[in-house]
Amino acid sequence: SGFAQETVTDETATGLTQDVQAGPGATMQVNRIGLVDLDGVLRKSAGTQKVRELLDEQRLAFQKEFTIRETALQESERALQDDKSKISQEQFNIRLTGFEAEVAEVQRQIQYRRQALDQAFQEAQREIRSLAYEIVKEIAAERRLDLVLAQDAALIFLPTLNISDDVLARLNKRTENARIEIKVSANE
């Protein structure tokens, strides 16, 4: 049949030894396995925390800037309403159209900046995740692991199989001096 057959032949301290028959004549032996909680590693990593702090700084600066602009728009709106009875309907409509265009432009800029911040965060996370994958591969090679699984793929396992702490330590070491810059153009 075309289905994989699995037979457990031996249990050791490093994992389960399995002969997995994938098809006629094809056999792969898994002697050593490792488990990693990659999402947990990324959540706890200093690099991810740095990115979040930088994004929070950008959001705060962005919020201050748009609070000032919002206050200016509110003052413009009040002045427009105050002048409504002092100017012709045509002049009022021209000024109102200009005001509405300014409000729309500020809303467009807010939307752009939010999207740019989200994209910057996603890109930084992709880079950190990629580095974490490289570290997992290195540890697997060093320990001669035949297979590394996501920790949530295993229900019960020996704690010695979990390489998450080692991955986290190396990831933190490699990102401790990394320069992470997140800039969002104020002109857009």
Side-chain angles (χ1 to χ4, degrees):
S1 86
F3 294 103
Q5 296 176 336
E6 185 177 319
T7 56
V8 176
T9 58
D10 184 26
E11 261 190 59
T12 67
T14 59
L16 296 175
T17 298
Q18 297 179 358
D19 286 327
V20 180
Q21 200 111 29
T27 301
M28 180 180 95
Q29 191 172 46
V30 177
N31 293 316
R32 298 175 58 94
I33 65 171
L35 300 171
V36 65
D37 177 9
L38 201 57
D39 289 335
V41 166
L42 294 173
R43 250 190 326 275
K44 295 175 189 173
S45 83
T48 298
Q49 290 171 10
K50 247 191 232 182
V51 168
R52 281 202 178 103
E53 288 168 11
L54 287 169
L55 281 171
D56 288 345
E57 287 174 19
Q58 288 285 326
R59 280 191 185 101
L60 210 59
F62 154 73
Q63 217 169 12
K64 285 179 185 176
E65 177 188 338
F66 282 104
T67 297
I68 291 167
R69 292 179 76 182
E70 182 182 7
T71 301
L73 283 173
Q74 288 170 347
E75 289 172 11
S76 292
E77 184 181 30
R78 273 193 292 278
L80 184 61
Q81 290 301 323
D82 289 347
D83 291 347
K84 185 176 182 178
S85 61
K86 301 173 190 168
I87 59 175
S88 71
Q89 186 65 38
E90 185 180 332
Q91 284 179 316
F92 176 78
N93 288 343
I94 290 169
R95 285 181 54 192
L96 180 62
T97 301
F99 173 75
E100 289 171 343
E102 194 176 345
V103 168
E105 176 60 19
V106 168
Q107 289 173 337
R108 186 192 67 77
Q109 289 176 357
I110 288 171
Q111 180 73 16
Y112 168 80
R113 298 274 285 277
R114 281 192 181 131
Q115 287 175 343
L117 285 173
D118 287 344
Q119 287 174 344
F121 179 73
Q122 295 302 323
E123 181 58 33
Q125 282 299 99
R126 264 191 298 278
E127 289 176 23
I128 293 169
R129 182 176 287 275
S130 177
L131 181 56
Y133 277 125
E134 290 302 314
I135 292 169
V136 169
K137 287 186 215 172
E138 290 169 13
I139 291 172
E142 290 166 11
R143 296 185 185 180
R144 295 184 182 100
L145 299 176
D146 298 317
L147 179 67
V148 177
L149 298 172
Q151 181 177 316
D152 60 0
L155 293 176
I156 301 171
F157 58 88
L158 296 169
T160 57
L161 299 177
N162 192 335
I163 62 171
S164 300
D165 289 341
D166 294 333
V167 173
L168 178 61
R170 289 188 193 189
L171 184 60
N172 285 342
K173 183 76 174 153
R174 291 201 193 155
T175 58
E176 70 185 350
N177 295 321
R179 297 213 2 97
I180 301 168
E181 291 186 26
I182 298 171
K183 288 289 180 195
V184 179
S185 172
N187 300 331
E188 283 298 317

